[in-house]
């Protein structure tokens, strides 16, 4: 854990709220002691509910490094990642996460993602968002085709 990188994420969060670009959240992706991606929350300025600081930083790092895998990198965030960001962190294959404020701290400031954490803990049948499976057999065709595709790029 390098406090310099965590302080940069916190600095980004403060700068972001003062420019009204989004909420008070910042993140950086680090590889080999160097920041390779930066992100601030851009939800309100881009009308994109997925533009959380962590995801913006992951996208920036992937562009900078020219890869979709961030194995060998760590993410530093001004706040504990929400479930969406955690999933993006896992998909990007980051080696680890360091964060400052907790989700409870964010809730006290009006950003309550605890409801999402709680929703994901429930069995699928008890969740508040109806999710219905249909047309599975039709969807299996492209999946089988992908499995057999000689020139696929695995991820």
């Amino acid at each position: 854990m390098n406090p310099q990188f965590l302080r940069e994420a916190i600095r980004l969060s403060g700068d972001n709220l003062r420019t009204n670009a989004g909420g008070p959240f910042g993140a950086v992706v680090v590889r080999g002691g160097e920041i390779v991606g930066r992100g601030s929350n851009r939800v309100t300025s881009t009308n994109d509910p997925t533009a959380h600081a962590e995801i913006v930083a992951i996208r920036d790092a992937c562009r900078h490094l020219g890869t979709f895998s961030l194995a060998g990198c760590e993410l530093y965030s001004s706040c504990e990642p929400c479930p969406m960001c955690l999933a993006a962190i896992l998909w990007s294959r980051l080696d680890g996460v360091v964060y400052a404020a907790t989700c409870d701290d964010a809730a006290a400031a009006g950003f309550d993602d605890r409801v999402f954490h709680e929703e994901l803990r429930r069995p699928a049948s008890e969740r508040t968002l109806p999710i219905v499976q249909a047309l599975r057999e039709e969807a299996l065709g492209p999946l089988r085709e992908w499995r057999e595709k000689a020139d696929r790029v695995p991820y």
Side-chain angles (χ1 to χ4, degrees):
M1 197 290 284
N2 186 326
Q4 155 193 345
F5 299 127
L6 194 53
R7 286 188 180 103
E8 176 62 8
I10 294 167
R11 184 192 68 73
L12 288 170
S13 73
D15 288 353
N16 198 56
L17 80 93
R18 287 185 281 280
T19 61
N20 293 323
F25 303 100
V28 297
V29 175
V30 175
R31 182 176 77 174
E34 177 187 346
I35 294 175
V36 295
R38 284 182 167 76
S40 299
N41 182 285
R42 297 281 187 245
V43 170
T44 57
S45 61
T46 62
N47 294 318
D48 179 355
T50 69
H52 288 198
E54 296 90 340
I55 291 176
V56 173
I58 287 168
R59 290 173 181 162
D60 188 46
C62 288
R63 263 190 312 277
H64 177 85
L65 297 174
T67 182
F68 55 81
S69 173
L70 295 178
C73 300
E74 292 181 314
L75 183 131
Y76 287 78
S77 180
S78 65
C79 192
E80 182 176 0
C82 75
M84 176 184 68
C85 292
L86 181 56
I89 288 162
L90 292 168
W91 271 111
S92 64
R93 310 297 195 243
L94 283 155
D95 289 357
V97 176
V98 178
Y99 67 88
T102 68
C103 68
D104 291 329
D105 297 326
F111 297 93
D112 196 358
D113 66 339
R114 287 180 299 184
V115 66
F116 304 128
H117 289 278
E118 293 165 4
E119 181 79 1
L120 292 174
R121 284 189 202 106
R122 292 183 186 122
S125 63
E126 296 176 19
R127 293 186 183 153
T128 60
L129 177 68
I131 299 177
V132 177
Q133 181 189 17
L135 303 176
R136 178 176 178 258
E137 288 303 316
E138 291 180 32
L140 291 178
L143 291 172
R144 281 191 286 271
E145 189 176 336
W146 170 258
R147 190 176 51 234
E148 304 302 321
K149 187 173 171 47
D151 63 343
R152 72 176 184 218
V153 177
Y155 63 96

